[in-house]
Amino acid sequence: MISFSFALLVGLAVTAGRASAQEDVPIRVMFVNQFPDETVDLYWEDHKYPHDHPDRRKLEARIPPRGGWHASDTFLRHEFSYEHQGKRHYITPPPGNIHGEQFLMVAGDSEGYKVRCEITVNSQQYMDYLDIMVKPYWAPRAASRFLELVRQKYYDGVAFNRVVPHGLTQFGIARDFATRTKERELTIWDDFPKGIKFEPGYMSFAGSGHDSRTTEIFIVNPGVSEAQLRMFGENSWETPFATVLDVDNSALRKIYSGYGDMPHFGGRGPDSARIYEEHGYTYLSKEFPKLDYIDRCYVVDEVGLSDLSAGDL
């Protein structure tokens, strides 16, 4: 299981320089493998040798599946490669963030990773589900963090605590006090924006400032106005990483929304600060009995696979 404590490591700062000197600019690159059961052999391409030379390709690391990762202290313009489904993929890491770090997924031509969340709807009267496609290249830090939390069963039992009709649906404060307190302290850095505009069904981590994302997520609801849609993504931490499949016909429309937004925004819904308190879910059940909840979330292609032990990573 990938641990995001490594995201707090301070990489070497990237200095400005001429293009001809970029190979001397250090960068730390985090390569992450989210395939369900396929180990990725990552190679460094040594450009001193021609493509057909036996010393051209050097094994950098074997990256295990389901959140396995490898940190490479390398330099700009260095090239890496890996093979997936008979095709070799090449990576030249782009410049890093202010910490001199870049975060990349080795996902081949994968469309994404399907997550199913089984949920209550219509004020807990029925069970339904949301099918979510996690996109590996839209916002790789966010995608990896979400998959990590799903595998940890973090979202199981979590409330849809903020549901604004024709606006957004938000969730992500764990039912267990110790768990939500611990994970709240583990922030991840912002992803580099890829120019992907929000649409109904798109998912993003919520945040409160630069590099502030933890566990809370919002989904853009169907029927959102064009004006509101343009506002999503104005903050650096709002980057889409997944989409609800067939959103117009999905269970998203059936999640109870009668309480509206948080009090801070003029609604009658739960105060998220109170949910984080020790008896936060007692507060929800007593004062907001109609809320809907996630029963469980899982990565579809990982059902039936054996758990990875710490030794596998």
Side-chain angles (χ1 to χ4, degrees):
M1 186 69 63
I2 183 172
S3 170
F4 276 78
S5 59
F6 72 77
L8 303 178
L9 294 173
V10 178
L12 296 172
V14 174
T15 59
R18 297 172 300 175
S20 60
Q22 280 189 335
E23 289 196 14
D24 295 327
V25 178
I27 182 173
R28 165 162 285 204
V29 183
M30 316 302 277
F31 295 97
V32 182
N33 174 14
Q34 295 292 0
F35 288 125
D37 58 357
E38 180 181 342
T39 296
V40 171
D41 289 340
L42 181 73
Y43 291 86
W44 174 58
E45 299 283 326
D46 191 342
H47 288 191
K48 294 196 303 288
Y49 301 100
H51 280 281
D52 57 353
H53 195 282
D55 293 329
R56 163 76 179 209
R57 190 166 291 143
K58 296 176 171 62
L59 182 65
E60 171 88 6
R62 302 202 78 200
I63 309 177
R66 281 175 267 170
W69 58 275
H70 168 69
S72 177
D73 289 310
T74 184
F75 296 89
L76 286 181
R77 297 177 65 181
H78 278 197
E79 185 179 48
F80 299 83
S81 73
Y82 64 96
E83 188 173 300
H84 176 60
Q85 295 184 342
K87 177 181 177 181
R88 182 154 296 277
H89 299 265
Y90 295 87
I91 306 173
T92 302
N97 57 20
I98 60 172
H99 309 287
E101 191 255 22
Q102 185 58 262
F103 190 105
L104 302 173
M105 274 212 209
V106 286
D109 294 323
S110 172
E111 178 187 3
Y113 309 99
K114 187 176 178 181
V115 170
R116 173 165 289 189
C117 291
E118 298 173 358
I119 67 173
T120 69
V121 295
N122 297 337
S123 297
Q124 305 170 48
Q125 294 186 58
Y126 308 102
M127 293 296 298
D128 211 322
Y129 61 87
L130 295 173
D131 279 341
I132 297 163
M133 186 61 72
V134 180
K135 299 291 189 177
Y137 298 123
W138 284 9
R141 289 184 199 276
S144 288
R145 177 60 166 156
F146 177 68
L147 289 169
E148 174 190 28
L149 291 168
V150 167
R151 292 180 180 122
Q152 291 177 354
K153 304 185 185 305
Y154 175 90
Y155 293 111
D156 295 5
V158 163
F160 291 105
N161 60 287
R162 184 186 182 195
V163 186
V164 183
H166 309 302
L168 57 80
T169 295
Q170 190 161 322
F171 64 94
I173 304 175
R175 192 175 193 92
D176 178 70
F177 173 66
T179 300
R180 63 178 177 261
T181 301
K182 173 188 174 184
E183 297 297 338
R184 192 182 188 186
E185 300 301 316
L186 301 178
T187 59
I188 62 171
W189 292 336
D190 293 340
D191 280 285
F192 287 92
K194 301 291 178 60
I196 299 168
K197 303 298 183 183
F198 278 88
E199 296 181 11
Y202 281 18
M203 297 173 58
S204 168
F205 275 86
S208 58
H210 185 63
D211 293 342
S212 66
R213 299 176 297 174
T214 55
T215 62
E216 292 192 62
I217 288 169
F218 69 85
I219 309 171
V220 179
N221 284 342
V224 64
S225 69
E226 286 298 325
Q228 178 63 59
L229 202 56
R230 287 193 296 270
M231 293 177 65
F232 290 121
E234 288 184 348
N235 298 312
S236 64
W237 56 90
E238 294 178 352
T239 50
F241 70 87
T243 182
V244 174
L245 299 176
D246 193 18
V247 63
D248 287 328
N249 299 308
S250 74
L252 193 61
R253 291 181 178 273
K254 304 175 188 178
I255 297 170
Y256 184 75
S257 61
Y259 297 121
D261 211 338
M262 298 185 294
H264 179 71
F265 295 107
R268 299 183 299 108
D271 181 346
S272 60
R274 291 193 61 183
I275 307 173
Y276 276 106
E277 294 175 359
E278 183 175 2
H279 301 292
Y281 268 70
T282 302
Y283 156 72
L284 288 182
S285 62
K286 286 184 177 180
E287 299 193 28
F288 304 94
K290 294 184 178 181
L291 288 179
D292 279 308
Y293 292 80
I294 295 173
D295 182 58
R296 63 171 184 156
C297 293
Y298 52 90
V299 182
V300 172
D301 288 341
E302 295 176 8
V303 174
L305 297 179
S306 61
D307 290 336
L308 291 172
S309 68
D312 294 325
L313 300 182

